[in-house]
Every structure is written in C-alpha cells, then in structure tokens.
C-alpha cells in the first residue's frame, strides 16, 4: 500500500484526501501506462495524470490490485494491507498521511514528524521545478490556481539557483546555438577553404 501510495502521490501531486478517496474506477490500465483521474479536488479543478512504465511501478500497482478481496463492496482503491493480504477496510486519512514519515524512518532521516502527507504533493512540484518545467505546466499538473505558489517552487529550484549563482559569481552565461545552413561556393569567404566536406558541424560559444 505504501509503495503504491508513493507512486500515485508523487506522480499526480496528490493531496492526502485525494489518495484516500481514489477508487478503482478512477484508474485505467492501458497496458503501457495508468491513466488516473482525480475528479474531486480542493480547488474544484478535476485533474488527470499518467503513470508510465518506469522501473516496476506498473507491476507494483497491478500486484496490489490483484490482492483486493473479491467480497469488497466499496470501490475505494486503498485497503489495509498486512501479512501479504488486503482486508476490506479502506485506508483512512491519518494512515495515508503517515506514508512520508514511514519512508523517512526507513531511510533513517531526522525529524520524522516533519514529513506529513503533504510531502508527496510538494515533492512532485519540486521535481518538476528542478527539471525546468514552466510555471503554467506546474499549475496545471498540481491544480493550483495561484501563480505565486508555483513561482515559489520555480524560484527555489536547485537548477535555477545554480544558474543564478553562476550569473552573480561569474557575470556571464554561455548559450549553445545549433543552426543548419546551406553553404555554396559563392558565399564562402576567400580565406576559408572547404574540400570534399559533408555534414560539417561548427561549435560556436557565445558569451553574453
């Protein structure tokens, strides 16, 4: 349950109650990926996200789903799991919210109490910001209405902090420019000679 909660929570920037209320009908297994729908959100904006076949994520989800008892009458996805079996009792908000602290304890990190259920949502946004994803995409993925919140993650991204540090300390940035041009003999300067050349590549470093 914990592994599947981590996968869906981070992949979809899910709030704790969104995971708790997730049903088996909200997830479509299309073979190469999972299409997950979050119909009811805090901001009243339904979201859809995809979990791709990275590592054994889909295998873990399918294994967990296969453990679902046939007599369960409700459709809540997350059920209590113990001793290799799932019960019919759905997981509550308190248990779901403890997933990050359980992971923290396993990794022997300090301040276990600081890792709440919201860490999954924050981790998703932070990973996107560190990857250079723009604010509009982060807002759409998380369902945030506030641009200010998304801007906070982008501004605090390590990648952006590193670029800013280089600009402050070095004073310049280097850009790589790739351009394909058609060169004929008529426009080649007289002091440059080409003989039997194909697919020539020039690397130009520009300091701004």
């Amino acid at each position: 349950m914990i592994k599947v909660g981590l996968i869906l929570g981070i992949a979809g920037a899910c709030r704790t109650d969104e995971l708790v209320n997730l049903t088996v009908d909200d997830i479509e297994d299309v073979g190469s990926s999972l299409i997950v729908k979050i119909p009811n959100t805090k901001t009243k904006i339904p979201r859809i996200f995809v979990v791709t076949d990275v590592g054994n994520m889909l295998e873990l989800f399918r294994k967990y789903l296969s453990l679902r008892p046939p007599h369960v009458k409700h459709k809540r996805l997350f059920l209590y799991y113990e001793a290799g079996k799932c019960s019919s009792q759905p997981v509550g908000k308190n248990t779901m919210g403890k997933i990050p602290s359980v992971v923290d304890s396993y990794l022997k990190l300090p301040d276990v109490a600081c890792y709440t259920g919201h860490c999954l949502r924050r981790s998703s946004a932070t990973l996107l910001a560190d990857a250079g994803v723009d604010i509009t995409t982060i807002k759409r993925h998380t369902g945030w209405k506030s641009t200010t919140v998304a801007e906070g993650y982008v501004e605090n991204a390590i990648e952006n902090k590193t670029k800013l540090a280089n600009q402050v300390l070095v004073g310049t940035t280097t850009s790589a420019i790739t351009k394909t041009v058609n060169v004929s003999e008529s426009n080649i300067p007289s002091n440059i000679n080409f003989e039997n050349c194909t697919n020539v590549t020039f690397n130009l470093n520009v300091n701004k």
Side-chain angles (χ1 to χ4, degrees):
M1 187 277 290
I2 292 177
K3 292 180 181 179
V4 176
L6 277 173
I7 292 170
L8 297 180
I10 293 179
C14 295
R15 299 178 177 87
T16 300
D17 57 346
E18 291 173 349
L19 290 174
V20 168
N21 294 322
L22 204 59
T23 71
V24 291
D25 292 339
D26 293 327
I27 303 178
E28 181 182 0
D29 189 339
V30 296
S32 60
S33 62
L34 303 175
I35 300 175
V36 186
K37 299 177 182 178
I38 308 292
N40 300 312
T41 69
K42 181 180 179 180
T43 57
K44 310 300 181 183
I45 302 176
R47 302 197 315 277
I48 296 177
F49 65 92
V50 174
V51 178
T52 55
D53 195 10
V54 178
N56 62 341
M57 291 184 182
L58 299 189
E59 180 183 347
L60 285 171
F61 171 80
R62 290 164 184 158
K63 182 178 180 180
Y64 179 72
L65 197 62
S66 69
L67 297 173
R68 188 180 184 86
H71 61 274
V72 178
K73 296 182 179 180
H74 61 82
K75 293 189 176 183
R76 292 261 292 274
L77 172 66
F78 287 101
L79 307 175
Y80 278 100
Y81 176 83
E82 188 175 2
K85 296 181 180 180
C86 283
S87 69
S88 60
Q89 183 179 357
V91 173
K93 186 173 182 178
N94 289 336
T95 299
M96 187 67 71
K98 291 179 181 178
I99 288 181
S101 63
V102 172
V103 176
D104 175 68
S105 297
Y106 176 78
L107 296 175
K108 302 185 185 306
L109 299 175
D111 303 322
V112 175
C114 295
Y115 292 83
T116 65
H118 195 62
C119 288
L120 302 180
R121 186 166 168 81
R122 288 182 60 88
S123 295
S124 182
T126 300
L127 288 169
L128 289 175
D130 284 343
V133 175
D134 62 86
I135 292 175
T136 301
T137 301
I138 293 177
K139 285 179 61 179
R140 186 165 56 247
H141 178 70
T142 59
W144 281 323
K145 292 182 178 180
S146 171
T147 299
T148 304
V149 175
E151 285 177 341
Y153 282 94
V154 173
E155 290 174 359
N156 289 317
I158 297 300
E159 181 67 23
N160 289 337
K161 292 284 188 182
T162 301
K163 289 179 180 179
L164 182 61
N166 287 334
Q167 291 173 351
V168 171
L169 300 175
V170 181
T172 59
T173 58
T174 301
S175 302
I177 302 175
T178 301
K179 186 175 183 180
T180 302
V181 296
N182 294 320
V183 180
S184 63
E185 293 183 0
S186 60
N187 57 19
I188 298 176
S190 58
N191 60 340
I192 299 180
N193 296 319
F194 292 93
E195 294 183 2
N196 299 322
C197 295
T198 59
N199 298 324
V200 178
T201 300
F202 293 95
N203 295 316
L204 178 63
N205 293 322
V206 180
N207 290 324
K208 295 182 179 180

